[in-house]
Amino acid sequence: MAAQPIENYGVIGNMRSIALVSMEGSIDFLCFPNFDSPTVFAALLDNERGGSFCIWAELENQRTKQLYLPDTNILLTRFLSDSGVAEITDFMPILAGKKGAIYAHQIIRMVRVIKGEIQFRMRCAPRFNHARNQHSAHADTDCVHFEPDCASCPRMSLCATIPVSLDGGDAVARFTLKAGETATFIFGESTTDVKILRPKAIENHFQQTSRYWREWIGRSKYSGRWREMVNRSALMLKLLCSQEYGSLIAAPTFGLPERIGGERNWDYRYTWLRDSAFSLYAFMRLGFVEEARAFTNWLRDRLHDDAEHGPLQVMYRINGDQELEEVILENFQGYENSRPVRIGNGASNQLQLDIYGELMDAIYLSNKYGDAISHDDWQRVTGVLKWLSQNWNRPDEGIWEVRGGRRNFLHSRVMCWVAFDRAIRLGNKRSLSGPFAQWREICDAISDDVYANFWDESQKSFVQYQGSNCLDASSLLMPLMRFISPVDPRWLSTMDAIEKTLTEDSLVYRYDTKGNPIDGLQGREGSFTACSFWFIECLARSNQLEKARLLFDKMLGYANHLGLYSEQLGSSGQHLGNFPQAFTHLALISAATYLDRALSGGNNATWH
């Protein structure tokens, strides 16, 4: 059975774990109980070994349609044919408790027939610990219980309102429903509480979850053009936030390829300082102060850490742990035979100096729009900058986490400038003490270095790294981070060069992976969707509003049927890379909010 296209999935979650649900009604990916836990279902990476939770409607010539209930993360998968219509409602409950939101850590699947009489088949086939451990299964009155043979794996149960039997270690059922009838399945942590199957309890779960999402997105301050897409991006980002820790993962999946059959298959279920800092900006732009405050608190704790290459690590587990050893899962075939399938991420041990700029930008924004920084935290910030003042001009692996050796990357230089610039701004704003004269000297030195050593006069463009003539789409962040004016002639010519060499219509590539294989990897990759939104925002900031709007509308057409984006787009427009990806949705929100304001004739001030 061929793998479903990556874009054929929707996601449900509860800010602790996320499941991918195909348009065919199959849950093909779930890490449980946490975002970065081993998989329980992973048919997306190996249809034979990975495990899945499938519900089929046996209809001739059926069509399927998938949609979210408006302003929620409750997913409907609808089966349509001349002989009948049915739908599956999938969600992970979020319930209101006395102390706020509490979580029944379960997946609820409600099967309902709208028209006709329809036969269904169900198979729940968990495969624990990335399908590396066996399990046993036993049934009682209303539930099947799955007992994995590893101590660290969760015990799981499937409870149902219709009879379920065993087929080896899988739970299976065949059942028929008439119009108006419903069958419900609840899959989650083992329980003997069958009260959860009572219709009133299920309805209460549904109503409270629906109310939670609608009330949450109702607090958004964005009311401009593209509201539906911006709200969907915000709802997706909220799913990627850890309610327990306040951190945000880059994507809920691992191993989905940046090129079919290629080796660029990474694990994105972790918290990148870079992505999280941009998320803080996006949440603040939309008015979600609580999420920004929660991330700021998580970030504060990271200032206590010591990484191998400096005071901060590139990425962390959601709880702040620093151990992310990269391991290859030899037992998984990989999505459409794209191997190796990796868990963990070796880039966590890299030196990526740009994260210090994103860190300080996040701290600056949280102080500008939120709570003032404490004395002790400011002392820790100055300690970080003391290290950076002695290391900003080192070669590193850069924003794209190359594995072809360190270089003096332009983006890293610019973001080091941002780190000192934001510290100076914050210090002046809050009347804080610090070595501001030294920081200003470093800012000037970095700026001089960029203009002297990263400008290619023959191309009239800034280049990817010192000594090269290659271009890099990360340069698009230069005006967004206020390093250079968006109408500076050097910047306009750089943008023209990027458009000529790295752009196909609205699609933007990170860099030339064929002629300039700096990343140390084989094969090419797709266009990088976040870069497309950066390019669009740069056009808008350079007063090319009509062109920016046209390309933005075109990019919205590359979203999947639910308004979701993976990391990249292939040559035929297919989604590639881990899905859905926070970085892409963050860039969409940034571009949409600026472009909407500019088109309305509002204040076109730069980012901060």
Side-chain angles (χ1 to χ4, degrees):
M1 183 176 179
Q4 285 281 314
I6 294 170
E7 61 264 31
N8 278 19
Y9 285 87
V11 296
I12 57 173
N14 62 356
M15 293 160 288
R16 187 177 169 188
S17 64
I18 287 178
L20 273 64
V21 186
S22 78
M23 292 184 70
E24 306 298 322
S26 177
I27 296 177
D28 289 342
F29 193 91
L30 171 68
C31 295
F32 195 90
N34 299 309
F35 295 128
D36 55 357
S37 297
T39 56
V40 173
F41 302 130
L44 189 59
L45 296 173
D46 193 310
N47 191 58
E48 293 183 4
R49 303 179 186 89
S52 63
F53 183 179
C54 307
I55 299 175
W56 296 275
E58 297 185 335
L59 291 168
E60 290 187 4
N61 301 317
Q62 68 170 285
R63 309 181 315 278
T64 61
K65 186 175 182 179
Q66 208 171 46
L67 64 150
Y68 282 111
L69 289 180
D71 295 334
T72 77
N73 282 311
I74 297 174
L75 186 66
L76 267 64
T77 305
R78 192 167 285 160
F79 305 93
L80 307 136
S81 80
D82 292 337
S83 57
V85 176
E87 64 186 19
I88 304 173
T89 302
D90 286 313
F91 66 100
M92 297 180 75
I94 302 174
L95 310 178
K98 294 181 180 179
K99 296 183 179 180
I102 58 174
Y103 306 91
H105 203 23
Q106 301 157 339
I107 294 172
I108 295 182
R109 314 199 73 188
M110 300 187 295
V111 185
R112 181 169 179 259
V113 171
I114 310 300
K115 183 181 75 172
E117 181 175 309
I118 301 176
Q119 287 190 334
F120 295 87
R121 290 180 294 134
M122 183 281 299
R123 178 176 291 271
C124 182
R127 300 293 183 264
F128 293 94
N129 191 21
H130 306 301
R132 294 180 296 187
N133 284 84
Q134 301 297 315
H135 70 273
S136 60
H138 68 275
D140 57 25
T141 306
D142 296 292
C143 300
V144 171
H145 304 284
F146 303 97
E147 301 275 354
D149 65 3
C150 66
S152 61
C153 297
R155 297 180 179 182
M156 308 292 286
S157 295
L158 175 69
C159 300
T161 58
I162 53 101
V164 176
S165 58
L166 292 175
D167 180 12
D170 299 348
V172 297
R174 294 183 71 93
F175 58 100
T176 302
L177 299 176
K178 299 177 181 178
E181 293 182 337
T182 301
T184 301
F185 302 87
I186 300 178
F187 180 77
E189 293 173 312
S190 283
T191 178
T192 56
D193 180 14
V194 295
K195 294 178 182 179
I196 58 175
L197 290 171
R198 292 177 180 175
K200 284 187 177 180
I202 295 168
E203 179 67 16
N204 181 58
H205 280 41
F206 175 82
Q207 293 296 342
Q208 289 202 51
T209 303
S210 176
R211 188 180 309 119
Y212 174 88
W213 289 118
R214 285 177 174 148
E215 289 179 353
W216 183 82
I217 197 63
R219 296 198 294 272
S220 172
K221 294 181 178 179
Y222 182 84
S223 58
R225 305 165 182 83
W226 314 295
R227 183 181 178 189
E228 185 176 350
M229 286 296 291
V230 169
N231 281 359
R232 179 50 55 197
S233 290
L235 284 162
M236 171 49 48
L237 291 176
K238 180 62 172 173
L239 278 183
L240 298 174
C241 290
S242 168
Q243 189 71 19
E244 183 177 3
Y245 300 107
S247 51
L248 176 137
I249 60 170
T253 58
F254 63 86
L256 295 182
E258 297 172 11
R259 177 178 176 270
I260 300 300
E263 64 171 328
R264 303 167 186 266
N265 318 314
W266 313 111
D267 188 348
Y268 277 12
R269 300 169 301 152
Y270 307 115
T271 298
W272 270 253
L273 286 183
R274 181 183 303 112
D275 300 44
S276 298
F278 286 136
S279 74
L280 184 141
Y281 163 74
F283 280 131
M284 284 184 171
R285 292 289 295 171
L286 300 179
F288 295 112
V289 179
E290 291 180 11
E291 286 69 26
R293 182 177 290 118
F295 169 66
T296 301
N297 291 335
W298 181 89
L299 193 62
R300 180 184 297 120
D301 291 337
R302 303 291 72 74
L303 295 176
H304 298 273
D305 295 339
D306 290 310
E308 182 179 347
H309 299 295
L312 292 175
Q313 188 161 292
V314 174
M315 71 189 83
Y316 300 83
R317 291 190 178 273
I318 54 174
N319 64 357
D321 285 354
Q322 295 176 298
E323 180 52 51
L324 291 89
E325 180 185 2
E326 190 171 296
V327 176
I328 293 174
L329 296 176
E330 301 287 359
N331 58 311
F332 275 164
Q333 181 179 343
Y335 180 85
E336 292 197 5
N337 295 309
S338 301
R339 304 183 71 181
V341 178
R342 300 176 177 92
I343 56 173
N345 199 309
S348 62
N349 293 319
Q350 289 185 350
L351 177 66
Q352 297 176 24
L353 291 169
D354 68 291
I355 65 171
Y356 294 92
E358 282 114 17
L359 166 78
M360 282 309 306
D361 197 46
I363 292 173
Y364 171 77
L365 287 169
S366 65
N367 274 266
K368 185 174 181 179
Y369 299 108
D371 300 327
I373 192 169
S374 70
H375 172 79
D376 290 342
D377 286 342
W378 178 247
Q379 294 305 306
R380 296 185 185 99
V381 165
T382 57
V384 169
L385 292 178
K386 181 179 180 181
W387 180 89
L388 189 62
S389 68
Q390 301 166 355
N391 291 276
W392 64 263
N393 58 352
R394 289 172 60 183
D396 70 344
E397 280 88 3
I399 183 176
W400 305 131
E401 304 180 344
V402 301
R403 301 194 177 197
R406 293 180 178 179
R407 289 176 170 84
N408 290 301
F409 285 109
L410 169 66
H411 178 72
S412 297
R413 285 287 197 277
V414 169
M415 293 309 294
C416 286
W417 177 92
V418 169
F420 293 105
D421 176 77
R422 301 306 191 264
I424 294 168
R425 290 172 183 269
L426 177 55
N428 291 334
K429 182 179 179 65
R430 297 294 188 190
S431 300
L432 301 168
S433 62
F436 298 110
Q438 179 194 8
W439 293 346
R440 173 49 60 194
E441 288 179 4
I442 295 173
C443 272
D444 293 343
I446 296 174
S447 180
D448 291 344
D449 178 52
V450 167
Y451 284 100
N453 297 313
F454 294 86
W455 174 258
D456 183 350
E457 183 63 28
S458 65
Q459 296 185 89
K460 301 292 184 183
S461 174
F462 291 102
V463 293
Q464 184 179 47
Y465 60 92
Q466 185 174 342
S468 77
N469 60 0
C470 306
L471 302 184
D472 191 315
S474 64
S475 302
L476 294 165
L477 288 170
M478 293 173 71
L480 305 190
M481 301 307 296
R482 298 188 67 178
F483 180 85
I484 191 172
S485 165
V487 294
D488 186 299
R490 289 197 189 216
W491 173 248
L492 294 176
S493 62
T494 296
M495 195 160 57
D496 287 343
I498 289 174
E499 184 170 14
K500 290 175 183 176
T501 59
L502 296 179
T503 301
E504 295 174 348
D505 193 42
S506 63
L507 305 178
V508 181
Y509 294 84
R510 296 190 293 177
Y511 47 84
D512 183 0
T513 55
K514 184 177 182 180
N516 178 36
I518 61 157
D519 52 25
L521 300 167
Q522 298 295 316
R524 305 199 68 177
E525 63 176 20
S527 62
F528 200 80
T529 308
C531 294
S532 294
F533 289 118
W534 295 346
F535 180 65
I536 289 163
E537 186 170 349
C538 285
L539 287 172
R541 289 178 182 272
S542 65
N543 301 318
Q544 301 178 62
L545 292 180
E546 291 305 316
K547 182 176 181 179
R549 180 173 188 169
L550 175 62
L551 295 183
F552 187 80
D553 287 335
K554 284 187 171 187
M555 283 307 301
L556 295 186
Y558 285 106
N560 83 342
H561 57 291
L562 297 167
L564 306 181
Y565 291 87
S566 62
E567 182 180 26
Q568 300 184 14
L569 292 167
S571 56
S572 64
Q574 79 271 34
H575 286 220
L576 295 171
N578 287 302
F579 172 87
Q581 201 211 26
F583 215 36
T584 304
H585 289 276
L586 295 166
L588 183 154
I589 290 172
S590 180
T593 52
Y594 183 88
L595 182 57
D596 180 71
R597 189 170 71 250
L599 288 168
S600 298
N603 179 11
N604 290 349
T606 46
W607 226 21
H608 308 312

